[in-house]
Amino acid sequence: MSAKIKNPNESNKGFLIGVGALIAIVVLVVGVMLYIGRNQPIEGLPDEEVDLTVSLDGDAITLQSPNAGDDAVTAVLYEDVSCHVCADMATQSHSDQVAALEGGDLIIEFRPVVFLDQGADGHSTQATAILRLLAENGDANVFWNFHTLLMEDQTNAMRWDWNDMADRLEVMGADSSIVDQVRDGLDLEDTKAAAAVNEDGIRALNDGQVATPALSVDGQSLMDVIGSNLGSWVMVALEVGQSDAGADSADADQTESEPEDAQSEDAENSEN
């Protein structure tokens, strides 16, 4: 009997078919998991109703009560949404911020920077572009809640792409046009330009150094006053701002009284 010689290529073909089938199964499983994950409801998002207004003015985002008066203290806050200390400062002072803002005592002028992206179109730049868009749209609730989310869930937020952030904005009730713009990816040039201006503002406060967070009232840096007690910044800002306002008022009263004193002195001299 003669032995049948098998073609060695047949076993190789079978092996390759098996490997190909395995890869196809893995890809299918991963695709299904991603699809399921994408379609899972997003829960636990901030959903705070605040009686505030928000606006975008060039390089700054202003958050305040509609009833804030001329005596409200304006705090200029520089932050990078990827900065861990900024996140700690935001979360530790959250309730104080709401109370002071809604009470009309405080106006926050946010001046975001993105230097932690180191020139890349990273999370800081993308998230800041979204915050600027929300402020420009004037939706204070979505702005406040999205900012809260970025700070409270910072570790996870830094891994989100445009779709992830659009999904969360949609659940938060952002206008559909904003959700669509974010999902398509925002232009980042204006955000980068504004951040560069704000970095210069930090340098002016910090002897040429850029570090966040940075906080000022009436041009006075307050980070050395706050120290490690990050949650106290609202109270410190109000104390400094109200003290400065009191000093200005006293100076104004003194200036007004000086002409009166001079007139009285002239009258006395005339009588003599």
Side-chain angles (χ1 to χ4, degrees), residues 5-227:
I5 300 175
K6 295 183 64 176
N7 185 346
N9 291 331
E10 291 182 2
S11 59
N12 290 338
K13 287 180 181 178
F15 174 75
L16 292 175
I17 291 172
V19 171
L22 179 61
I23 293 174
I25 292 171
V26 171
V27 170
L28 178 62
V29 170
V30 171
V32 170
M33 291 177 65
L34 289 174
Y35 175 80
I36 292 174
R38 176 70 69 185
N39 288 276
Q40 286 293 315
I42 302 173
E43 299 177 345
L45 297 178
D47 186 23
E48 196 170 6
E49 291 284 337
V50 290
D51 184 20
L52 302 173
T53 65
V54 67
S55 60
L56 176 67
D57 183 13
D59 314 313
I61 296 170
T62 302
L63 194 67
Q64 65 183 78
S65 164
N67 301 315
D70 294 337
D71 58 345
V73 174
T74 298
V76 181
L77 179 60
Y78 299 87
E79 62 180 15
D80 188 314
V81 294
S82 298
C83 161
H84 301 314
V85 181
C86 297
D88 290 341
M89 187 163 164
T91 54
Q92 291 176 27
S93 63
H94 183 94
S95 58
D96 286 347
Q97 288 185 62
V98 175
L101 283 165
E102 291 190 327
D105 300 317
L106 179 69
I107 297 171
I108 301 179
E109 184 180 299
F110 288 101
R111 288 190 167 271
V113 294
V114 300
F115 70 95
L116 291 177
D117 278 347
Q118 298 182 332
D121 294 344
H123 170 70
S124 292
T125 310
Q126 293 178 5
T128 297
I130 294 173
L131 290 172
R132 285 171 54 85
L133 178 61
L134 292 171
E136 187 175 29
N137 194 60
D139 193 333
N141 278 322
V142 178
F143 173 89
W144 178 254
N145 288 318
F146 188 67
H147 181 270
T148 298
L149 176 65
L150 292 172
M151 293 310 200
E152 290 185 349
D153 199 16
Q154 187 183 72
T155 301
N156 289 321
M158 291 174 67
R159 296 194 291 265
W160 293 340
D161 59 18
W162 289 118
N163 275 320
D164 293 324
M165 290 188 282
D167 289 342
R168 282 155 179 81
L169 288 169
E170 187 172 24
V171 175
M172 288 178 167
D175 188 87
S176 60
S177 65
I178 288 180
V179 174
D180 291 342
Q181 288 180 68
V182 172
R183 201 175 298 283
D184 291 339
L186 301 177
D187 181 88
L188 302 177
E189 293 309 309
D190 287 347
T191 298
K192 291 179 180 180
V197 172
N198 292 335
E199 286 182 21
D200 288 339
I202 298 177
R203 290 187 183 93
L205 287 174
N206 292 343
D207 297 324
Q209 301 298 313
V210 176
T212 53
L215 175 70
S216 69
V217 171
D218 294 333
Q220 176 183 349
S221 176
L222 300 184
M223 293 310 299
D224 288 342
V225 180
I226 295 167

